[in-house]
Amino acid sequence: MLALVDCNNFYASCERLFQPKLNNKPVIVLSNNDGCVIARSNEAKKLGIEMGVPAFKIKELVNHNNVHVFSTNFILYGDLSKRVMNTIKSEVKEMEVYSIDEAFMNFKKIGSPFEKALMIKQKVAKNIGIPVSIGVAPTKTLCKVANYIAKKYTVNGVFVLTEEKKIEKVLKWLPVSKLWGIGKGSVRKL
């Protein structure tokens, strides 16, 4: 059994950590030289701000909706990532850091995968202050699917996808574009 922990809106969450007044307000983080949007809070996503959009194209939308804009701070993000990963590492025997805000964990022989995932989520929130979602499944690809569901469709941010019938039902429901590694060209083809 594997699990995938993914920090929610990581760069935006890092900025909010030091400015809690920004909780529940739209936040975006721009790429080097403030060219394009590379991170968005859920509130910014609801305004229709797309990932990768050039900042100059959304200037009016940003100003009209009082969107809080940040330049990247990779030193801060790297430090908080290390703290998140060290917190997770203290709770599992094996872990593979996949990116600055994601890690796969080995959940073999841990008892209840749901309870373990929920405990890790709560520990990261308490110790670091970064919100995470966790998907549990038998493969990395299914962990990505479970994490997508945990992030978008659960109240507690944890989703366990282990039963064959449930896996089949979820894969029939999930748009192929949401599968890990499927690009736009493959979506059209499939």
Side-chain angles (χ1 to χ4, degrees):
M1 191 63 51
L2 299 171
L4 172 68
V5 61
D6 185 4
C7 299
N8 300 342
N9 312 314
F10 184 57
Y11 295 169
S13 293
C14 290
E15 297 296 345
R16 283 178 165 171
L17 193 58
F18 294 95
Q19 295 190 52
K21 67 182 181 185
L22 298 179
N23 288 338
N24 303 312
K25 295 187 175 150
V27 173
I28 61 173
V29 178
L30 302 177
S31 62
N32 289 351
N33 300 320
D34 294 341
C36 299
V37 174
I38 61 168
R40 308 158 294 155
S41 67
N42 288 336
E43 297 79 11
K45 291 174 188 177
K46 285 179 185 172
L47 292 173
I49 298 174
E50 297 289 329
M51 187 67 95
V53 68
F56 75 88
K57 287 189 174 184
I58 58 168
K59 192 171 186 176
E60 191 174 308
L61 178 68
V62 165
N63 291 337
H64 181 71
N65 291 285
N66 197 25
V67 176
H68 300 271
V69 181
F70 292 88
S71 298
T72 54
N73 184 344
F74 291 120
I75 293 171
L76 172 68
Y77 309 150
D79 179 62
L80 288 171
S81 174
K82 285 178 192 170
R83 292 176 191 210
V84 168
M85 298 307 167
N86 286 335
T87 299
I88 296 164
K89 196 180 293 181
S90 72
E91 294 298 330
V92 295
K93 291 180 181 173
E94 293 179 50
M95 182 175 109
E96 175 189 347
V97 176
Y98 179 67
S99 68
I100 193 166
D101 69 336
E102 291 179 278
F104 288 99
M105 303 171 284
N106 186 331
F107 263 29
K108 289 179 185 167
K109 301 178 185 175
I110 54 120
S112 167
F114 179 83
E115 293 299 324
K116 182 69 168 183
L118 193 58
M119 184 276 296
I120 290 171
K121 176 184 172 48
Q122 291 168 344
K123 186 172 182 179
V124 170
K126 181 181 177 197
N127 291 0
I128 316 301
I130 297 293
V132 302
S133 296
I134 300 177
V136 180
T139 69
K140 288 181 178 179
T141 299
L142 289 174
C143 280
K144 282 280 202 177
V145 170
N147 193 280
Y148 173 80
I149 294 168
K151 194 173 281 197
K152 303 264 185 203
Y153 299 104
T154 69
V155 175
N156 57 29
V158 173
F159 189 75
V160 178
L161 186 59
T162 55
E163 300 166 19
E164 282 298 320
K165 286 183 181 181
K166 196 175 192 181
I167 292 169
E168 190 174 319
K169 184 178 180 181
V170 164
L171 290 178
K172 282 182 180 179
W173 161 82
L174 188 77
V176 73
S177 62
K178 300 299 179 192
L179 287 173
W180 187 28
I182 302 292
K184 289 180 183 179
S186 295
V187 168
R188 282 190 295 274
K189 185 172 141 182
L190 293 169

PDB file of all heavy atoms in Angstrom, residues 41-49:
ATOM      1  N   SER A  41      -4.177  30.278  -4.868  1.00  0.00           N
ATOM      2  CA  SER A  41      -5.039  29.788  -3.791  1.00  0.00           C
ATOM      3  C   SER A  41      -6.354  29.344  -4.415  1.00  0.00           C
ATOM      4  O   SER A  41      -6.659  29.682  -5.572  1.00  0.00           O
ATOM      5  CB  SER A  41      -5.287  30.891  -2.763  1.00  0.00           C
ATOM      6  OG  SER A  41      -6.064  31.929  -3.342  1.00  0.00           O
ATOM      7  N   ASN A  42      -7.142  28.609  -3.669  1.00  0.00           N
ATOM      8  CA  ASN A  42      -8.451  28.183  -4.182  1.00  0.00           C
ATOM      9  C   ASN A  42      -9.315  29.381  -4.554  1.00  0.00           C
ATOM     10  O   ASN A  42     -10.060  29.338  -5.528  1.00  0.00           O
ATOM     11  CB  ASN A  42      -9.168  27.300  -3.159  1.00  0.00           C
ATOM     12  CG  ASN A  42      -8.530  25.933  -3.050  1.00  0.00           C
ATOM     13  OD1 ASN A  42      -7.876  25.459  -3.979  1.00  0.00           O
ATOM     14  ND2 ASN A  42      -8.705  25.284  -1.913  1.00  0.00           N
ATOM     15  N   GLU A  43      -9.207  30.447  -3.777  1.00  0.00           N
ATOM     16  CA  GLU A  43      -9.998  31.653  -4.047  1.00  0.00           C
ATOM     17  C   GLU A  43      -9.595  32.277  -5.391  1.00  0.00           C
ATOM     18  O   GLU A  43     -10.454  32.766  -6.130  1.00  0.00           O
ATOM     19  CB  GLU A  43      -9.828  32.667  -2.912  1.00  0.00           C
ATOM     20  CG  GLU A  43     -10.334  32.187  -1.567  1.00  0.00           C
ATOM     21  CD  GLU A  43      -9.389  31.228  -0.830  1.00  0.00           C
ATOM     22  OE1 GLU A  43      -8.215  31.069  -1.256  1.00  0.00           O
ATOM     23  OE2 GLU A  43      -9.829  30.645   0.169  1.00  0.00           O
ATOM     24  N   ALA A  44      -8.300  32.258  -5.698  1.00  0.00           N
ATOM     25  CA  ALA A  44      -7.824  32.783  -6.989  1.00  0.00           C
ATOM     26  C   ALA A  44      -8.289  31.883  -8.131  1.00  0.00           C
ATOM     27  O   ALA A  44      -8.653  32.365  -9.211  1.00  0.00           O
ATOM     28  CB  ALA A  44      -6.302  32.911  -6.975  1.00  0.00           C
ATOM     29  N   LYS A  45      -8.287  30.576  -7.894  1.00  0.00           N
ATOM     30  CA  LYS A  45      -8.779  29.638  -8.916  1.00  0.00           C
ATOM     31  C   LYS A  45     -10.248  29.903  -9.222  1.00  0.00           C
ATOM     32  O   LYS A  45     -10.665  29.875 -10.379  1.00  0.00           O
ATOM     33  CB  LYS A  45      -8.601  28.195  -8.437  1.00  0.00           C
ATOM     34  CG  LYS A  45      -7.158  27.747  -8.356  1.00  0.00           C
ATOM     35  CD  LYS A  45      -7.056  26.355  -7.745  1.00  0.00           C
ATOM     36  CE  LYS A  45      -5.614  25.969  -7.488  1.00  0.00           C
ATOM     37  NZ  LYS A  45      -5.506  24.644  -6.829  1.00  0.00           N
ATOM     38  N   LYS A  46     -11.037  30.190  -8.187  1.00  0.00           N
ATOM     39  CA  LYS A  46     -12.470  30.460  -8.380  1.00  0.00           C
ATOM     40  C   LYS A  46     -12.715  31.723  -9.205  1.00  0.00           C
ATOM     41  O   LYS A  46     -13.750  31.862  -9.838  1.00  0.00           O
ATOM     42  CB  LYS A  46     -13.176  30.580  -7.028  1.00  0.00           C
ATOM     43  CG  LYS A  46     -13.371  29.240  -6.353  1.00  0.00           C
ATOM     44  CD  LYS A  46     -14.051  29.386  -5.010  1.00  0.00           C
ATOM     45  CE  LYS A  46     -14.122  28.029  -4.313  1.00  0.00           C
ATOM     46  NZ  LYS A  46     -14.605  28.144  -2.938  1.00  0.00           N
ATOM     47  N   LEU A  47     -11.755  32.639  -9.183  1.00  0.00           N
ATOM     48  CA  LEU A  47     -11.872  33.857  -9.993  1.00  0.00           C
ATOM     49  C   LEU A  47     -11.551  33.582 -11.460  1.00  0.00           C
ATOM     50  O   LEU A  47     -11.717  34.466 -12.303  1.00  0.00           O
ATOM     51  CB  LEU A  47     -10.922  34.941  -9.461  1.00  0.00           C
ATOM     52  CG  LEU A  47     -11.245  35.524  -8.097  1.00  0.00           C
ATOM     53  CD1 LEU A  47     -10.137  36.455  -7.635  1.00  0.00           C
ATOM     54  CD2 LEU A  47     -12.589  36.248  -8.134  1.00  0.00           C
ATOM     55  N   GLY A  48     -11.080  32.380 -11.760  1.00  0.00           N
ATOM     56  CA  GLY A  48     -10.742  32.022 -13.139  1.00  0.00           C
ATOM     57  C   GLY A  48      -9.295  32.264 -13.504  1.00  0.00           C
ATOM     58  O   GLY A  48      -8.942  32.233 -14.685  1.00  0.00           O
ATOM     59  N   ILE A  49      -8.456  32.518 -12.528  1.00  0.00           N
ATOM     60  CA  ILE A  49      -7.035  32.718 -12.813  1.00  0.00           C
ATOM     61  C   ILE A  49      -6.415  31.362 -13.116  1.00  0.00           C
ATOM     62  O   ILE A  49      -6.434  30.457 -12.294  1.00  0.00           O
ATOM     63  CB  ILE A  49      -6.321  33.416 -11.636  1.00  0.00           C
ATOM     64  CG1 ILE A  49      -6.927  34.813 -11.413  1.00  0.00           C
ATOM     65  CG2 ILE A  49      -4.816  33.495 -11.888  1.00  0.00           C
ATOM     66  CD1 ILE A  49      -6.418  35.545 -10.197  1.00  0.00           C
TER      67      ILE A  49
END
